[in-house]
Amino acid sequence: MYTTYETQTSGTRIRILNVPTTFDASGEELGFSLKVMRDLEILIAQALSHAASDSTAVELEYQPLAPAPDPVSLELRRALRLRRMSGAQMAQELGVTPPVVSRWLSPDYHAHGMETIRRMAEALEMDVEVRLIPKRSA
């Protein structure tokens, strides 16, 4: 499903069309994913930098720009929630600092090592399963 996102920034009205959003079963809009929100921030900054100084309105189409959140980070976050374990608890369990675990859980972090994933899974009393799946077409 898609919606139109509008905002007023620095005296310029920005309207972005065809923004992917989620709706519940009753049709009420739930909001944007983290990736879409990051894309919107980039698009707004671009619109402001390219808008003519006398322009009071900019309209553009949504474009995916930000890299997709790392699926490994998202899965590790899901597993921690499932086990009701905090990042600080995981850090203590693995003998690392909380900022290290925070980095591993960041959707922008794309460099997880298999040994780290295995150690986290062990601390969570879980197994690791690796699958390769076809890419989604854009």
Side-chain angles (χ1 to χ4, degrees):
M1 306 279 305
Y2 299 92
T3 190
T4 299
Y5 178 81
E6 295 186 66
T7 187
Q8 180 89 16
T9 305
S10 302
T12 302
R13 188 175 54 82
I14 301 171
R15 185 175 186 192
I16 304 172
L17 307 173
N18 299 321
V19 180
T21 189
T22 54
F23 292 85
D24 66 13
S26 69
E28 185 170 336
E29 187 175 330
L30 297 175
F32 306 120
S33 70
L34 175 63
K35 181 187 178 326
V36 170
M37 290 180 69
R38 290 176 15 216
D39 289 343
L40 287 171
E41 288 176 13
I42 293 168
L43 287 168
I44 290 167
Q46 287 177 352
L48 289 173
S49 69
H50 291 93
S53 58
D54 60 351
S55 176
T56 57
V58 176
E59 184 173 290
L60 50 122
E61 289 280 326
Y62 172 81
Q63 299 172 12
L65 300 168
D70 183 76
V72 175
S73 298
L74 298 178
E75 182 62 19
L76 291 172
R77 292 169 76 93
R78 186 198 65 78
L80 279 170
R81 279 193 311 273
L82 182 69
R83 293 293 195 235
R84 300 184 194 281
M85 183 183 272
S86 70
Q89 290 169 317
M90 176 59 73
Q92 185 174 10
E93 182 78 23
L94 297 180
V96 298
T97 62
V100 170
V101 173
S102 180
R103 183 179 69 230
W104 293 338
L105 300 176
S106 169
D108 296 325
Y109 185 73
H110 297 271
H112 302 88
M114 283 304 296
E115 180 60 20
T116 299
I117 296 168
R118 188 202 60 73
R119 288 179 59 214
M120 289 184 79
E122 186 67 29
L124 292 164
E125 297 179 354
M126 297 177 124
D127 290 322
V128 176
E129 178 182 287
V130 177
R131 295 182 308 134
L132 299 177
I133 58 173
K135 288 184 177 184
R136 296 181 190 155
S137 58

